[in-house]
Structure formats: structure tokens, C-alpha cells
């Protein structure tokens, strides 16, 4: 016990003498301890309780930071005389510097301790998440560069502090992106509580940055709709500080407005990755549960999904362009809203039907469920459901507003059906994705074995319902890859026919029956799997276009004016404020989930 | 499989022939099925997945109902021309009638099916929760009776509908209270999904009633502060509809205002009980895990806790009375706020210190942790943390407001310290309660055995740290009850001394050593346990007074005017709206949790 304690504080020297390739044994594991639970009888139980207590205390830390920050932000919004944006930036800069210190300590200290990272969670930080961290991170850095440039041009009426803050922000974004890229899979085994607190502090900082970005983002919506009236109130103290008519200043200003949404998404994505890391602190993964090689993304064997999806994307882009041209004009046209909502009304039922068919196919498929604990997947499910709430809440508010005013008007009935369909689409898609994430990627696992040419036996029979017909040919089939299916299908058929012709004389009627049932079930399965891939690919593309449109500034819920006049400006503003960023995040996250469904189908 | 399905739809006749006392075997268990998961290999896995899917779908149902209702309520608040209170009442009445139908079906149909309730969760619906359901339910019924009477007197300017709605409400409250009183412990094993949907619908209805009550409750706060100005806007369409100067009308009106807070609490308590029932649908409890006899509440052995607590309560009531007399006057006095906040500033540190000492004693005690899964306890923990958020958020908003204005003023510095202390008190108390709930009530379990005179062996040694000294005298000790401790302590001491005098000659030095260490550890443990009881009793009384004060109308956060002028009327109104009812619920729930800690200490 005392040796264990000592090894926690300084590098454990006697462990270093062991060969590095030894499997992680109990001697390397740093069980957690907590003063509240010193008297537990078993080490495992004490470890588990210490883990819970550590999570509780670090969660409390984050809660306090978030509440303090939220109170600051609200004060700034509702009383911008007493609390200015500068005060808020000072608070956030302090938090960022603290996070930076912890991240650097983690990179140089904690993670380099012996046996610090014994396990890596293969589900955490998939490539599309880490890629989006990098992408959004770069855009956010660019945004801050623009902001520095903009402030530098208008230096005569802005304080020098407005150059210092974005610089800290750039350092923070860069360091955090680097940290998440390299360490998002870590299950750290040393300094548990300190690491938890550091992660929670970083999460709280990102959440506060998101909150601030959300309030600023909607102010940018206003910039466009209310023609720069609000910007002057918010940004400069003197109204004379307008951008001189140089190209560079206009570029900075426009780029600043265009890049803003990415900053919002960056914060949300970082929060979710950091949360998974926090859940993984002190987690020990038994090695036989982890499939070491993930299936790769392959485009083979899908035709209709990409085709339909591409059509949807192209039409969507046209609609979006026309909407943007019309809506940014002085008075938004009635026609353009009809066009926009009609597009949604055609697209959403298609997506819903796709998701429902996909769910039915999942039910028909004879696949085992993956019921192992998996924090990444649990988070995915929670985030999907939580992010969908934003759009669903907004839709219900729209529905009540329209039903109470005049549902028989053309535009109103369009908005009404759009809202109803959106709720339905969100729910069916969520069910489809959640169900898909819980299916075992058995084909992928066997593909990995196949590729590696290891002598392992196939563990699970692919056809649990038809176990009585299992033969060697069947086992051969389970080792088939889903990607190579299309290539090997014909080969296999030929082989099967050849073999049958030889064997028929030798083994007679029985084997023929087995082979026939095998071919039947094979083509049967292949059909289902292909349909799943078509559907998920189609949904991926649809979600991308539905993600792009609000991200780049199409906010008809705000611009059509119906709900705004019903609920009153400030209330609807608050609702949209809450719903829209969540909706954008939902689309992005759906794309990730659907890609996973596509790969494992 | 088909037989199982048939037994789900009609009473399973072949089971009836078995003796009723037979332990619940697999033949009586109705495993859940769901069309999505027909192809799972094991029955258990299919059952678990079906359970998850059922929870997901019933949760989605509740979510949709809640969102629809929230949109209605918001519409009524922000646009009371298009959506009137009557529209909302119609919606809620439809929901209530649906819930009533389900509850009656459950009482007469579902729960009477053979093997419907094989297990009862002994942790669910403890007596204090069911008691508060009854108490708040009766008050809510009385409230509605007053409302009917009030409407009947003013029938000339109110619609007849305002008598119909409270009548439906009375039937709903009565049936629901009856249902929760008798069935809150059920782990229903038939018609899983239908029951889940029914429970979720009832939860959603209660949540909406709570939301409506909260918006109305704060309007009643206004009634008192803004001198009936708002009431006329809200209740009657014609301003001439004022209460005639008869006693009965005044009683109805005053009773209506006084009883309102209980309705809010009734809805919240029902929600929490229903949620536990929902979690328990389809749950199978292994019998050896359940302690059949719960320890009883006994007042013996505590002196300082009740004494200090009673003093706190008496002073609190005096402060509250003076506050109410002063604050309901036309202009609230500066002095009365100083008195009110000073009371809090003295009380809160005492409570925090008590909670911290309690937590330290928990850590010192050599007790095993109860790490079994327990939905009631998980819910308790979540509710404690969640309800505390309301008060903590309000405190942070106060802190920011005061720091930004003038923290050096006497009243402001009092409010500031009050807010800081409140945050600290909430957190320490939560840690103390959560930690206490996870401790094994081993003493209680052994007491139960002792009372029953069953011949079971004591399973767990009371002193796991001193297992090497376990003798027969030690085992005898483990069967001692904590309540009878005080009476038996002297007896035991005498016995020990007598026995020692005889044995000393026979067994010599060794037994003497054992006995001495036993007496030492015994008095040691007893001291700790008594301290825990004193602390929890003191905290119970303090929480009761802190619960009574805001419930019966002391809302200084609203009446002191500081935050109101800082954030603006409507913003602070919304924050208080969110925070105050949660704060009241937090105090009530803390009382329950602390009582449990007291009993099991």
C-alpha cells in the first residue's frame, strides 16, 4: 500500500527493470485512493469508490466555474454597463491560461510518467472527430487572426487589449487541438484526480467560450438582419469607428462574420472529446474485448445512396444560394421562404422513410448486439438525443405559434409541415443511429483477422439463427470482408458451383441442400447490408447539406418573422439562441454517427 | 417463445396451479421482447435490449408531450391573446384524463394479472416520500376546493369552465395519490411497454402542471408585492370582478394563495416517485440482496442535535414572522433584510461545519460501502445535485451583481456572504448525504436479525480492520442493535468485567487483551455513530426551517430589489422562477436524505 503510494508520487523505478513488452499486470496499475474510502475491504471496491468521488469533486469544480461564467455572461448581456465584454474576456483569459498550464503539464509531465497510459480506448476520438477538431481549430485560429487584423486597423478607437485577448485565444486553440489530436484515446492511470480537475476545467472553459460565442453568433445574425445597427452598440464605444473603405478591412470583417460558426462548433466538439477523456481517466480495458483494427471507409457497392444524396446536396446548394441572395436584401421575399420550406418538405420525408427502413432492416438482420460498456458510444447517444432537443423544442414552438395564428395560409402551412416533419425526422434518425451503433461490427472484426492472416479461429458464427447448418463452407464465409464482398461474390459463386459439381457425386443430396441454403442466406444478407449502406450514405449527404445551410447563415426561423411577432422579439431570440447551435451540432454529430453505421454495416 | 407471448396477453393459467408460496422462478418471469431485437442469442440479452428500447420510446413520448406543453405555456405567457389560460387547461385536462384512464387500468387490470408484481423494491417509496405525497395531495385538493368556491362566488364574471377544471384536478390528484401510496414499490413484470408509456405520460403531465404552477406561483409573489395589480390582468377579464367583502370569499382567496406552494411540491414529488416506478418496470431483484426489515426511526441517544436544531427553528420562526410582517407592508424595511440575512449567515456556517465533520467521521468509520445497483438511491443523488443547482445558480448571479455594484455596503456585504455560504453549504451537505447513503446499514441489518430471533449467523464482522482478534465475544457484539446500545452498554460493561474476573484465572492474559480491545473499539464506534446522529438530526431541523421560510412566502432575493435592478425585472424574474422552486424542493429532499443517514448511522 505504501509502495503503491510512493509510486504515484515519483516514477516507479523498480517497474522500469521489467521488459517493456510485458502485458500490463497488477504491479503496473495505480489503483485510485481517496481519503473518504480508506477502509474498504477490497482494492477494487476502493478504486471504484475513489473514482466516483474524484468524478464528483471534479464535476463540482466545473459546475462552479460554469455557473460563475454564466452569471458573468448574463450580467454582460443584461447590464452591459456594470459588466463589460472586457471583464468577461479577462475572466476567460485567466481560465484559458490555467487550462494551458495544465495541458502543458499533462503533455510534459503526467503522460510521460512510467505506466501512465497503459490502455488506449479505441472507440474514443475517431478520425472524423479529431479531423473536425483540427478543421474547426484552424478556422478559429484564422478567425482570431482576422480579429487581430481588424482591431489593428481600427487601433485608434479600440483598446490594445483587443489584440492581446485573441492572441491568448490562438495559443489556447492551437495547444488544445494538439493535445486532443495526440491524447484523445488516453486512459490515464496516474494522477487521476489532478487530471480529472484539469479536464473539467478545460471543459468548463470551452463551454463558457461556447456560451459567449452563441450570444455573439446571434448578434451577428442581427448584424445582417438589422443592418449593422446593433454592432455599433456592442463593439465600439464611439459610433465613428467604422471600417475604412479598404479591401483588407472588408475582408477581415467579412471573414470574421463567415468564420464565426466554426468557433461555436469547435468548442462543442472539444467539450465532447474532453468529456470522453474524463470518463476514461483510470479506466482499465481488458485486452480481449478490444478489436485492434477498425474497419476502413470504402465506397464500394453503393450506388443509389450517393446518387440521391448528391442530387439533394446540389439542389440544396442552389436553394441556399437563392435564399441567401434574396434574404440578405432589404425586404425578404415571400417566394424565397416558400422555396426554402418546400425543399425541406420534400427532403425530410425521404430521410425519415430511409431511417425507418434502415431500422426495420436492423431488426430483420440476425446480428448480435454489442452490449459492452463503452463511454464513447454512451456519449454519442446522449449527445444525439440532447442536441436533437434543440431542434425539436424550436419546432414545437413554431407549431403552437402557427396553429394559434392562421394555419391555412400557404407559407404558414408549409412552416407547420416543416416543423412536424423535422420532429419526425429527428426521432427516426436518432433511433436508426442508436440502433446501428449497438450492432456488432462482426464482419469488420473478421475482416481484420482475414487481412492479418492470423491463425485464429472464427469465434462467432455469422448466422446464429441457422446454427444447425454450420459447415466448413459456412465458417469460410464468416471470414469474408464486407468491403471485398462485391469482388468476391462472383468468385465465390463460381467456386461454390464448381465444388458442388464435384461433391454431388461424392456426398449426395445433403451437402447440396446445405450449399443452397448458404448461397440463399448469403445473397440475402448481402442485400440487407447493401441497403443499410445505401441508406446511411444518403443520410450522411442529407445531413451535410442540412448542416451547411444554417451554419452559413440561413436562419428562416428568425427571418420569416412569424414566430418573432407571436412570441415577441426577445423570447423568440432566446429560443432560437438555444435551438439553432444545438441543431447545427446535431447535424454534424449525426454525420459522424451515420458514417460509423455505414462502416460497420 | 410463443407460449411466453401468449402468457403476456392473457392470464397464464398453468402457473396458477403452482403453490402460491413458491419462489419466483423463471417460468413466472415474463421476459421482455421488442421487435427490433428478435434475433438476440440469449433471452437475458434480448430482455435487456428490449428494456432499453422500451425506455427510449416511452422517454420520447414524454419528451414530445413536455415540449408541446412547454410551448403552450410559453405562448400563454408571452402572447396571452392567442393562447389563453383556458386553452392550456383544456390541454392539461385531456392529459389528466388520459393519465386517469391508464392509472385505473393499472389498478384494475395490469397489477392484478398473475405474476404481475413478483418483486417489490424496498428502497422505493419510503414512508416520508409517500407521506409527503399524501400531505401535499390533501393540500392541493383543498386548494382546488377553495378555487371552486372562489369561482362559484364570482360566477357572474367567470366562465363555468373554471369550476370543471378544478374538479378534474381533484379527481386526478386523489387517484394519483392513492396509486402512489399503494404501488410505488412495484416492479411490474407484465405489459412492460404499455406501463412505461403510462408512467411517462403521468410524469409529463405532472411536469407540465409544475411548470404552470411555477409561473403562477411567481405571479402570486407579485400579487403580494405589487398589490393585486397583476391579479386583475391575469385572472379576470373584467376589472370589476373583485371579491365581495364577505368572510368566506376572503378565506377562499387567502387560502388559495397560502396553499399554492404545496401544489408545486406535490407535482415534483409525484414526478420523482413515478420516475422510480418507471425505472423499476421489468426489474428483477435477487432476494438475498434485499434487507427485508428496514431500521426504524428512534430518537434515543441524541441530545445536542435536536437541542441546537430546535433553537435554530425557533429563532428562524421568529425571524420569519418579523420578516413577513415587515415585508408585506408597503415599503420593505432595510432593517428586516439585515436581520434575515444575519440569521442565514449564522446558521449556514454551522450547517457546513456539521456536514464537513460528518463526512470526516464517515471516512474514519470502518464501514463497508453499499455498491449494489439501486435506482432509488441513484435518483436521490441526481435529484439532490440537480435541485441544488437552482440555489447555486441564483447565488452566483447574486454574487456577480453585488461585486459589480457595491460590495462594501452593509446589506450588500451580508447578501454577498449569504450567497457564498449558501453555495458552500449546499455542496458540503450534498457530499455528506451522498456519502451517507452509500454506507451499509450493517447495524440495522443485525438489529433486524436480533429482533426476529432467527438463527442466522452474523455475516459481516463489524470490525473489518481488527479481524485477527475475532472471538465469540466479538461475534456477540455484532448482533447488537444500535438503538439498544445505550441501554445495553452498562450491562455489557458489567458482564465483561464479571466474566473477565472469572476467566482471568482460567485463560490468563490473552483473553484480557481481547476484551480490552473490544471495549475500546466498542466505545470508539459508539462515539462516532452518536456524533453522526447528532449532526444529521441537527441538519434535518435546519433544513426544515430553511424549507418553511421560502415555501410560505419569504422571497428576499426578489424583494430586496438589488438583483432586480441590476439584471432588469424580467431577467431576474426568470432566474428566480427557475431557482426558487428548485431550492424549496432541495430542502425537502435533503430532509429525506438526512433522515435516511440518521437511521442508518
Amino acid at each position: 500500500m505504501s509502495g503503491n503510494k510512493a509510486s504515484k508520487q515519483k516514477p516507479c523505478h523498480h517497474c522500469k527493470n521489467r521488459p517493456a513488452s510485458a502485458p500490463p499486470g497488477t504491479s503496473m496499475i495505480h489503483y485510485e485512493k481517496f481519503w473518504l474510502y480508506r477502509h474498504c475491504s477490497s482494492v477494487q471496491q476502493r478504486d471504484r469508490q475513489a473514482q466516483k468521488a474524484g468524478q464528483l469533486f471534479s464535476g463540482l469544480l466545473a459546475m462552479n466555474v460554469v455557473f460563475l461564467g454564466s452569471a458573468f455572461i448574463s450580467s454582460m448581456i443584461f447590464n452591459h454597463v456594470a459588466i463589460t465584454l472586457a471583464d468577461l474576456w479577462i475572466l476567460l483569459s485567466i481560465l484559458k491560461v490555467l487550462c494551458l498550464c495544465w495541458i502543458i503539464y499533462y503533455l510534459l509531465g503526467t503522460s510521460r510518467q512510467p505506466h501512465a497510459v497503459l490502455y488506449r480506448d479505441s472507440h474514443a476520438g475517431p478520425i472524423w472527430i479529431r479531423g473536425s477538431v483540427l478543421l474547426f481549430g484552424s478556422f478559429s485560429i484564422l478567425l482570431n487572426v482576422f480579429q487581430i487584423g481588424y482591431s489593428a486597423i481600427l487601433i485608434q478607437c479600440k483598446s490594445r487589449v483587443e489584440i492581446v485577448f485573441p492572441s491568448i485565444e490562438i495559443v489556447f486553440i492551437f495547444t488544445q487541438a494538439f493535445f486532443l489530436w495526440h491524447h484523445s484515446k488516453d486512459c490515464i492511470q496516474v494522477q487521476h484526480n489532478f487530471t480529472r480537475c484539469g479536464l473539467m476545467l478545460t471543459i468548463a472553459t470551452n463551454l463558457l467560450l461556447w456560451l459567449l460565442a452563441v450570444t455573439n453568433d446571434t448578434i451577428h445574425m442581427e448584424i445582417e438582419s438589422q443592418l449593422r445597427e446593433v454592432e455599433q452598440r456592442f463593439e465600439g464605444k464611439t459610433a465613428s469607428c467604422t471600417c475604412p473603405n479598404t479591401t483588407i478591412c472588408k475582408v477581415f470583417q467579412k471573414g470574421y462574420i463567415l468564420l464565426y460558426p466554426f468557433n461555436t462548433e469547435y468548442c462543442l466538439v472539444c467539450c465532447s472529446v474532453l468529456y470522453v477523456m474524463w470518463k476514461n481517466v483510470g479506466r482499465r480495458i481488458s485486452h480481449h474485448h478490444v478489436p485492434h483494427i477498425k474497419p476502413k471507409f470504402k465506397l464500394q457497392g453503393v450506388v443509389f445512396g450517393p446518387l440521391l444524396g448528391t442530387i439533394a446536396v446540389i439542389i440544396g446548394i442552389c436553394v441556399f444560394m437563392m435564399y441567401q441572395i434574396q434574404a440578405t436584401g432589404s425586404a425578404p421575399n415571400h417566394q424565397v421562404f416558400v422555396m426554402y420550406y418546400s425543399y425541406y418538405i420534400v427532403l425530410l420525408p425521404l430521410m425519415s422513410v430511409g431511417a425507418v427502413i434502415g431500422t426495420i432492416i436492423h431488426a430483420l438482420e440476425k446480428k448480435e448486439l454489442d452490449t459492452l460498456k463503452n463511454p464513447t458510444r454512451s456519449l454519442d447517444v446522449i449527445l444525439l438525443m440532447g442536441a436533437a432537443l434543440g431542434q425539436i423544442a424550436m419546432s414545437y414552438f413554431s407549431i403552437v405559434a402557427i396553429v394559434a395564428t392562421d394555419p391555412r395560409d400557404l407559407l404558414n402551412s408549409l412552416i407547420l409541415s416543416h416543423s412536424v416533419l423535422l420532429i419526425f425526422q429527428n426521432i427516426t434518425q436518432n433511433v436508426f443511429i442508436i440502433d446501428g451503433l449497438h450492432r456488432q461490427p462482426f464482419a469488420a472484426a473478421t475482416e481484420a483477422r482475414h487481412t492479418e492472416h492470423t491463425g485464429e479461429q472464427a469465434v462467432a458464427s455469422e448466422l446464429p439463427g441457422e446454427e444447425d447448418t454450420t459447415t466448413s463452407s459456412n465458417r469460410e464465409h464468416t471470414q469474408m470482408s464486407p468491403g471485398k464482398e462485391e469482388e468476391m461474390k462472383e468468385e465465390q459463386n463460381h467456386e461454390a458451383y464448381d465444388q458442388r459439381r464435384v461433391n454431388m457425386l461424392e456426398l449426395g443430396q445433403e451437402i447440396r441442400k446445405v450449399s443452397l441454403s448458404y448461397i440463399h442466406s448469403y445473397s440475402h444478407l448481402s442485400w440487407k447490408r447493401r441497403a443499410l449502406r445505401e441508406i446511411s450514405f444518403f443520410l450522411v449527404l442529407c445531413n451535410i447539406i442540412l448542416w451547411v445551410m444554417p451554419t452559413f447563415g440561413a436562419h428562416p426561423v428568425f427571418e420569416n418573422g412569424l414566430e418573432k411577432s407571436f412570441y415577441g422579439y426577445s423570447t423568440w431570440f432566446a429560443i432560437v439562441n438555444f435551438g439553432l447551435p444545438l441543431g447545427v451540432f446535431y447535424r454534424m454529430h449525426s454525420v459522424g454517427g451515420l458514417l460509423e453505421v455505414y462502416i460497420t454495416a
Side-chain angles (χ1 to χ4, degrees), chain A residues 331 383 437 448:
Chain A
L383 281 182
L437 290 180

Side-chain angles (χ1 to χ4, degrees), chain A residues 297-337:
Chain A
F297 182 79
K298 279 174 189 166
L299 245 179
Q300 287 157 327
V302 281
V303 181
F304 300 105
L307 201 74
L308 269 173
T310 312
I311 293 171
V313 168
I314 291 168
I315 297 175
I317 290 172
C318 296
V319 169
F320 174 64
M321 305 272 260
M322 282 162 76
Y323 179 85
Q324 279 301 85
I325 292 164
Q326 294 269 327
T328 47
S330 52
N333 199 333
H334 189 271
Q335 217 62 35
V336 77
F337 288 117

Side-chain angles (χ1 to χ4, degrees), chain A residues 9 44-45 74 188 363 393 426 435 477 482 487-488 502 531 594:
Chain A
Q9 280 151 359
Q44 267 79 15
Q45 204 183 25
S74 312
I188 197 87
N426 273 347
D435 199 40
H477 171 51
E487 308 160 24
M488 289 179 78
V502 180
L594 286 165

Side-chain angles (χ1 to χ4, degrees), chain A residues 350-404:
Chain A
L350 282 178
M351 291 171 73
S352 308
V353 168
V356 169
I357 292 174
T359 315
I360 292 170
I361 292 176
H362 271 152
L364 293 175
E365 243 187 348
K366 287 159 186 168
K367 243 188 191 183
E368 281 301 294
L369 292 172
D370 181 12
T371 48
L372 284 174
K373 267 206 170 178
N374 182 342
T376 316
R377 188 175 54 202
S378 312
L379 177 71
D380 273 349
V381 170
I382 292 169
L383 281 182
L384 266 181
M385 299 301 293
L389 291 188
Q391 232 163 17
I392 292 175
M394 254 166 56
S395 297
Y396 271 112
F397 277 99
S398 289
I399 289 172
V400 171
I402 292 160
V403 170

